[in-house]
Amino acid sequence: MVFLLVVIGMAVMLLAHTAPFPFLLDALAPGKAVWQMPAEADRPMVYLTFDDGPNPEATPALLDVLAAADARATFFLIPRHLNEDTAPIVRRIFAEGHAVGVHSHTRSLMWQSPDALAETVMAAADRIEALAGARPCRAFRPHAGWRSGQMYAGLARIDFALVGWGWGLWDWNWYRPRQADSLARRLAERASDGDIIVMHDGHHENPRADRQYAVEATALLVPALRERGFELGTIC
């Protein structure tokens, strides 16, 4: 019995820091956690978010799809993927009315002290502003959703919110190839008012990863969501 209780306790601790959904830590954290946006009675909303960009190939193609559909999204950018070559892509993101948040390429940020985490996130925001000419909103998404009490404390010091996503509303496909049509169908069927959807226009290690599935899925997903009566908003 004691062994079972220890195992359960360890599982709870692990999930508190790594669960891809709100869990115990998020309820007790000394900072803001956003895993679902507030519902708006007069207009059901869904929030498309994209992680790990900017990607020199996929992000412009994705922006083309969103522009053609007159849809808005939120892009969580990895600062080290932003340089003189990709800065025009981010400037386009801002210019076309999308929102920008800060992302991370590594889980190690969860181990940083609150002061170090706050400094890291602010430096990332400064880099985006310096290269793209506009500042991201105060939204941070940790790599793979791995978080800690120190992370929440650090974000609270700079008034940033930790932003997650809805249950099952991700493009990870349980180690199977991701197909645009099945992904769009699954996300559209699962979505409900206030839900946050996450897909990837980049990769945390490879800034030029092939993300054509995300571009094609978005082209299918936007009209499918609108057919269900949803409008598309931004986190910021």
Side-chain angles (χ1 to χ4, degrees), residues 17-18 106-113 117 142 146-151:
H17 295 284
T18 65
T106 174
R107 296 175 174 86
S108 66
L109 295 193
M110 67 182 290
W111 305 117
Q112 288 189 336
S113 70
L117 187 282
W146 284 37
R147 54 211 184 272
S148 64
Q150 300 100 293
M151 178 178 286

Side-chain angles (χ1 to χ4, degrees), residues 47-126:
Y47 302 82
L48 297 182
T49 67
F50 297 93
D51 285 4
D52 291 351
N55 181 321
E57 286 81 30
T59 307
L62 181 58
L63 289 170
D64 289 344
V65 167
L66 294 170
D70 192 25
R72 303 293 175 268
T74 304
F75 290 80
F76 286 90
L77 305 180
I78 292 180
R80 71 174 187 173
H81 289 176
L82 180 58
N83 51 48
E84 294 293 344
D85 293 331
T86 58
I89 300 172
V90 183
R91 287 196 287 270
R92 180 184 171 188
I93 291 174
F94 281 113
E96 296 185 358
H98 305 290
V100 171
V102 177
H103 195 32
S104 167
H105 71 282
T106 174
R107 296 175 174 86
S108 66
L109 295 193
M110 67 182 290
W111 305 117
Q112 288 189 336
S113 70
D115 285 341
L117 187 282
E119 183 177 342
T120 296
V121 174
M122 288 300 287
D126 291 343

Side-chain angles (χ1 to χ4, degrees), residues 112-196:
Q112 288 189 336
S113 70
D115 285 341
L117 187 282
E119 183 177 342
T120 296
V121 174
M122 288 300 287
D126 291 343
R127 178 174 176 79
I128 293 171
E129 183 177 23
L131 285 170
R135 195 164 186 83
C137 67
R138 293 182 179 273
F140 173 73
R141 176 172 283 164
H143 178 57
W146 284 37
R147 54 211 184 272
S148 64
Q150 300 100 293
M151 178 178 286
Y152 269 115
L155 293 174
R157 294 183 186 186
I158 54 176
D159 195 29
F160 266 69
L162 186 149
V163 179
W165 49 80
W167 171 254
L169 297 177
W170 49 67
D171 57 0
W172 187 58
N173 201 29
W174 305 97
Y175 302 105
R176 294 173 296 180
R178 288 172 282 203
Q179 302 295 330
D181 54 350
S182 60
L183 174 61
R185 184 169 56 253
R186 172 168 61 83
L187 295 176
E189 290 173 352
R190 285 179 176 266
S192 59
D193 192 12
D195 273 343
I196 301 171

